[in-house]
């Protein structure tokens, strides 16, 4: 696939009917950041569960299965989680396994949005397999665009029984490139010799440097623990207005003045130190 949105939507399309639903977090990309693509292209309803710092739990999901066999109700089919989450937090293997057991006991599939899976694995010092196959994930949107590649996303079917027609949905979804091998070879380059881990670990380390650099600045309050390559902070509007024109960053939640600062495989120490200095000077 060429985008994370396509990987999520086409992967889910291959395992759902229009009368079925996908359960996801209230913070998820599926719900908030894909411009309605899941509903439009799936023709399926999203059921929203309340997340704690981006993470779902069995108690948060279980109420959405009530009355599931009534013909008047959409039928939950997939639980989708993000690893790492949209807040940069991570699920442990045990947390994923608990969700997978709940899904499988209730006839659901477990989908993982792994656009930043590499950052989660590097942050936990685990393999990609330990966070997916070994933990019971059925369907994975695995992206490397955010870890050094260009337009390189994929859908990995870990439960081969769940998506037998995925290749046709990919073609119908206009994601089969005529020169796909030139996109796909990027996965080979990143997965061989653990380059994926090196890139992700560097991005995570730069985020840690940023979090450590701003934690004591007046007008800056970290709102979630920094675990991967994102720093989320509640920042005064004075700082935002002064710094944003000089270094672009996203205001994640305007109502609470919460910003999202992301680091990447090519972020340098100098980049971080310059940014921290700007914030400190304008605090």
């Amino acid at each position: 696939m060429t985008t994370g949105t396509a990987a999520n939507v086409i992967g889910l399309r291959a395992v759902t009917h229009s009368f079925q639903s996908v359960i996801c977090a209230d913070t998820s990309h599926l719900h908030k950041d894909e411009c309605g693509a899941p509903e439009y292209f799936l023709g399926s309803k999203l059921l929203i569960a309340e997340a704690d710092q981006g993470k779902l739990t069995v108690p948060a999901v279980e109420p959405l299965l009530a009355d599931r066999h009534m013909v008047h109700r959409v039928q939950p089919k997939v639980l989708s989680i993000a690893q790492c989450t949209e807040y940069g937090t991570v699920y442990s293997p045990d947390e994923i396994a608990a969700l997978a057991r709940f899904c499988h006991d209730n006839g659901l599939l477990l989908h993982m949005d792994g656009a930043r899976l590499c950052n989660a694995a590097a942050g936990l010092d685990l393999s990609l397999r330990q966070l997916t196959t070994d933990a019971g994930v059925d369907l994975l949107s695995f992206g490397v665009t955010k870890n050094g590649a260009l337009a390189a996303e994929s859908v990995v079917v870990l439960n081969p029984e769940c998506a037998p027609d995925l290749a046709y949905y990919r073609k119908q979804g206009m994601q089969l490139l005529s020169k796909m091998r030139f996109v796909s070879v990027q996965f080979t380059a990143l997965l061989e010799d653990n380059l994926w881990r090196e890139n992700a670990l560097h991005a995570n380390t730069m985020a840690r440097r940023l979090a450590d650099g701003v934690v004591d600045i007046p007008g800056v309050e970290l709102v979630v623990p920094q675990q991967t390559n994102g720093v989320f902070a509640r920042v005064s509007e004075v700082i935002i207005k002064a710094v944003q024109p000089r270094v672009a960053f996203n205001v994640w939640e305007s109502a609470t003045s919460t910003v999202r600062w992301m680091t990447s495989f090519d972020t340098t120490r100098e980049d971080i130190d310059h940014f921290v200095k700007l914030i400190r000077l304008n605090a």
Side-chain angles (χ1 to χ4, degrees):
M1 313 290 174
T2 57
T3 70
T5 298
N8 282 338
V9 172
I10 292 174
L12 291 170
R13 178 68 184 90
V15 297
T16 57
H17 296 295
S18 59
F19 61 85
Q20 295 173 327
S21 60
V22 177
I23 300 171
C24 59
D26 54 0
T27 56
S28 70
H29 267 70
L30 286 174
H31 174 50
K32 295 185 69 175
D33 296 300
E34 293 185 338
C35 197
E39 294 94 333
Y40 183 74
F41 288 98
L42 294 180
S44 299
K45 186 177 181 62
L46 299 181
L47 296 180
I48 309 306
E50 185 175 350
D52 180 13
Q53 296 183 345
K55 294 168 63 176
L56 290 177
T57 61
V58 169
V61 172
E62 195 167 20
L64 296 175
L65 301 189
D67 302 325
R68 61 182 302 200
H69 297 298
M70 289 181 63
V71 72
H72 302 282
R73 310 291 169 83
V74 291
Q75 301 299 301
K77 177 63 176 180
V78 184
L79 171 62
S80 179
I81 62 174
Q83 176 76 318
C84 54
T85 73
E86 287 77 10
Y87 275 94
T89 52
V90 296
Y91 290 91
S92 70
D94 288 344
E95 289 172 323
I96 299 170
L99 289 169
R101 285 193 298 272
F102 171 79
C103 287
H104 300 153
D105 288 346
N106 287 278
L108 304 180
L109 298 172
L110 180 60
H111 166 259
M112 178 180 285
D113 178 348
R116 291 188 173 88
L117 176 60
C118 293
N119 297 95
L124 292 170
D125 194 24
L126 296 172
S127 68
L128 300 172
R129 181 185 180 94
Q130 287 173 294
L131 292 177
T132 54
T133 308
D134 292 348
V137 175
D138 296 293
L139 192 66
L140 169 67
S141 299
F142 178 43
V144 291
T145 301
K146 292 179 172 66
N147 200 30
L150 176 65
E153 309 287 323
S154 62
V155 177
V156 183
V157 182
L158 301 172
N159 174 358
E161 297 179 0
C162 75
D165 299 320
L166 178 60
Y168 300 104
Y169 285 113
R170 178 176 67 164
K171 175 63 176 177
Q172 191 178 64
M174 299 170 284
Q175 291 294 309
L176 181 59
L177 303 184
S178 60
K179 298 296 184 292
M180 184 64 85
R181 62 188 180 275
F182 295 124
V183 173
S184 302
V185 74
Q186 296 176 92
F187 283 91
T188 303
L190 281 162
L191 292 171
E192 287 185 343
D193 301 322
N194 281 329
L195 179 58
W196 68 269
R197 184 181 295 276
E198 180 182 332
N199 284 358
L201 187 59
H202 174 79
N204 293 357
T205 301
M206 292 299 99
R208 167 51 56 190
R209 186 177 184 87
L210 174 55
D212 289 344
V214 302
V215 69
D216 66 335
I217 298 177
V220 177
E221 176 192 0
L222 301 183
V223 297
V224 295
Q226 178 274 322
Q227 294 181 300
T228 50
N229 68 319
V231 177
F232 292 79
R234 192 171 292 113
V235 179
S236 72
E237 291 188 11
V238 172
I239 295 175
I240 292 174
K241 289 179 180 178
V243 177
Q244 201 174 34
R246 303 179 66 179
V247 180
F249 59 85
N250 181 244
V251 177
W252 192 242
E253 292 179 353
S254 56
T256 59
S257 195
T258 298
V259 301
R260 182 180 82 149
W261 294 327
M262 303 300 296
T263 56
S264 69
F265 64 95
D266 61 351
T267 302
T268 67
R269 293 164 63 98
E270 291 75 20
D271 292 334
I272 298 299
D273 294 345
H274 172 66
F275 187 53
V276 171
K277 183 178 179 179
L278 283 177
I279 296 169
R280 196 174 292 278
L281 288 173
N282 287 280

